[in-house]
Amino acid sequence: MAEASEPSPWLLRWQGCLPGSAAQQKRLGDLAGIILILLLAGLPLVTRTGLGLIVLACGALWLLWSLTKPPERLGGISGWLLLFLGVAVLATGFSPVPAAALKGLVKLLSYLGVYALMRQLLAVRPEWWDRLMAALLGGSLLTDVLALRQLYAPTEELARWADPNSVAEGTIRIYGPLGNPNLLAGYLVPILPLALVACVRWRGWGSRMFAASAFILGSASVLFSYSRGGWLALVAALGSLVLLLVLRAIRHWPPLWKRLVPLALLGAGGVLLALAVTQVDPIRTRVMSLLAGRGDSSNNFRINVWLAAIDMIQDRPWLGIGPGNAAFNSVYPLYQQPKFNALSAYSVPLELLVETGLPGLIACIGLAFASVRRGLKALESDADLALPCIGCLAAITGLLVHGAADTIFFRPEVQISGWFCLATLSQCRPRA
């Protein structure tokens, strides 16, 4: 006797209300893959208007596809995202600037449409992960070439990113087609662990060389961006990836070795990091700028913005001012200190508290735990997407570290890579 199917969540009862043949499902899947390839490959190269149109096309295609396809189980990651969306709707309704907050809510919905389309495509056609990954690596490889060429450009072109009031005065920083060294590093950091996973996962030597080239040139671009947050995020992402891959490789070893090997690996990594900080002059200079406190102009700017953001949170701790940079730009001038204008809170946790209050931050913490739990399950899994899930967990680790003192995550060039990682993690299931 066939087992009774699990009832659909009431939020998804509208899905599958239209008839759809197998041929139509295949065509919709192919069209979704093509649009997502264009999106991932064009992240650093297409204009914001162009990216916005592709993002809207993703959401529209997901709606059309969902009308002809029965709903699936939500899962922990999608459940926490829906909870955050509900908090964002409430924050918009109670916002002191509802019109500006509504713009942010529309942006959030559009990005969720991208996530939903990626998740649905990987659910029915997991082989598309490799194609999407190849598109992401292709865009990053072209970005790396354009960025590294700036090392040979006249220094006057790069001088605007050399801060004369910083401990690192005179440092020339590349930024490529993205126009900002921190954004360049933020865009590349989540891609690099995925590139390493592609090197392990892909079989052909040509494919492996392609992924290895993207990793090597991307790592060099992050280093020459001289982004402190990018460097810390790179260490966190690659370090966690190596640790996770080792844990997966030794999962059948005796218990004692399963404890000793990770500890030895962490100790060796700490020693290498200490040697780099003390012996390599550029790294030592950037670390000194981190420890300079208000003596570094970049640190001083961020501290003043953080203090203003904390004042905003204290005034509206429960639902914030509403989602989006438009709401932030409308309210922040009331709290900013003189000469410290800012477009964001320069910290993702603070930004979440400012925009959606404590409930929004709690929903995002729940999302992070659900992602980590799903990624750790891949260590013992032989699922088709087990290795990609491990790479995505390492990529999210890098995004979290970089987001502690910057908000480049909210830029589409970075954020869409994060949605790709979440969509991959949501589909890590045992092989049938």
Side-chain angles (χ1 to χ4, degrees):
M1 181 180 294
E3 293 182 2
S5 59
E6 183 179 348
S8 303
W10 66 270
L11 281 173
L12 305 180
R13 297 288 171 85
W14 58 274
Q15 294 187 12
C17 63
L18 297 180
S21 65
Q24 288 175 334
Q25 294 294 314
K26 185 179 185 304
R27 285 195 293 268
L28 287 171
D30 292 338
L31 181 58
I34 292 171
I35 292 177
L36 290 172
I37 282 176
L38 292 175
L39 177 64
L40 293 175
L43 282 178
L45 306 170
V46 179
T47 63
R48 290 291 172 81
T49 302
L51 286 178
L53 291 175
I54 299 176
V55 166
L56 289 176
C58 290
L61 181 59
W62 173 74
L63 285 173
L64 176 62
W65 195 359
S66 297
L67 287 171
T68 62
K69 183 179 180 300
E72 296 181 347
R73 182 174 175 271
L74 273 178
I77 292 176
S78 298
W80 283 108
L81 285 173
L82 282 178
L83 177 60
F84 180 75
L85 176 61
V87 173
V89 171
L90 287 175
T92 301
F94 289 95
S95 171
V97 285
L102 183 61
K103 295 179 182 178
L105 182 62
V106 170
K107 285 183 181 179
L108 175 61
L109 284 169
S110 65
Y111 287 127
L112 287 175
V114 173
Y115 162 80
L117 186 64
M118 289 176 173
R119 180 180 182 274
Q120 192 149 297
L121 176 64
L122 295 177
V124 298
R125 307 274 291 277
E127 69 274 8
W128 270 92
W129 186 89
D130 299 288
R131 301 167 190 175
L132 298 180
M133 189 66 238
L136 190 61
L137 291 181
S140 72
L141 196 57
L142 183 55
T143 301
D144 297 333
V145 172
L146 294 175
L148 292 173
R149 285 186 71 251
Q150 291 180 321
L151 293 173
Y152 305 97
T155 56
E156 293 79 8
E157 296 181 11
L158 310 178
R160 62 193 179 101
W161 292 108
D163 192 345
N165 299 316
S166 172
V167 174
E169 177 185 357
T171 301
I172 300 300
R173 307 171 64 188
I174 62 173
Y175 47 82
L178 295 172
N180 184 319
N182 295 326
L183 181 56
L184 174 66
Y187 162 71
L188 292 172
V189 161
I191 297 176
L192 295 179
L194 296 177
L196 276 182
V197 165
C199 287
V200 177
R201 175 181 169 86
W202 292 346
R203 290 292 173 258
W205 282 106
S207 301
R208 286 183 168 178
M209 289 298 294
F210 172 64
S213 299
F215 173 76
I216 294 170
L217 294 181
S219 300
S221 297
V222 173
L223 290 176
F224 286 114
S225 72
Y226 287 94
S227 168
R228 297 172 298 181
W231 285 6
L232 293 174
L234 181 64
V235 171
L238 297 184
S240 60
L241 176 65
V242 171
L243 180 61
L244 290 170
L245 290 177
V246 169
L247 288 174
R248 178 178 169 83
I250 66 173
R251 64 185 187 275
H252 300 305
W253 286 19
L256 178 62
W257 287 104
K258 288 171 68 174
R259 294 187 182 95
L260 291 179
V261 170
L263 291 175
L265 190 64
L266 288 173
V271 170
L272 288 175
L273 189 59
L275 288 174
V277 170
T278 56
Q279 302 300 321
V280 181
D281 186 62
I283 297 178
R284 183 170 62 249
T285 301
R286 295 303 283 173
V287 171
M288 285 174 58
S289 69
L290 277 174
L291 303 176
R294 286 187 176 272
D296 184 271
S297 58
S298 179
N299 296 350
N300 186 52
F301 176 81
R302 279 172 165 76
I303 291 171
N304 284 294
V305 175
W306 292 340
L307 292 175
I310 290 172
D311 290 338
M312 297 168 70
I313 295 166
Q314 289 175 341
D315 284 350
R316 303 182 67 87
W318 297 111
L319 286 175
I321 63 172
N325 61 312
F328 184 91
N329 294 335
S330 299
V331 178
Y332 175 76
L334 303 176
Y335 294 85
Q336 77 174 66
Q337 299 184 25
K339 299 181 181 180
F340 288 95
N341 188 27
L343 300 177
S344 66
Y346 282 92
S347 171
V348 170
L350 284 179
E351 187 78 24
L352 292 171
L353 284 168
V354 166
E355 294 183 3
T356 55
L358 284 171
L361 180 62
I362 291 171
C364 287
I365 292 174
L367 173 63
F369 276 109
S371 302
V372 170
R373 185 167 59 249
R374 183 60 65 91
L376 292 179
K377 285 182 179 178
L379 295 177
E380 303 290 339
S381 173
D382 292 323
D384 295 329
L385 294 178
L387 273 179
C389 283
I390 291 173
C392 289
L393 183 56
I396 290 174
T397 301
L399 288 173
L400 291 174
V401 170
H402 201 173
D406 209 336
T407 47
I408 46 90
F409 173 77
F410 295 107
R411 304 288 188 92
E413 296 87 354
V414 182
Q415 186 172 166
I416 290 174
S417 294
W419 291 120
F420 177 55
C421 292
L422 288 177
T424 303
L425 285 168
S426 70
Q427 296 304 321
C428 186
R429 297 170 182 171
R431 183 182 281 112

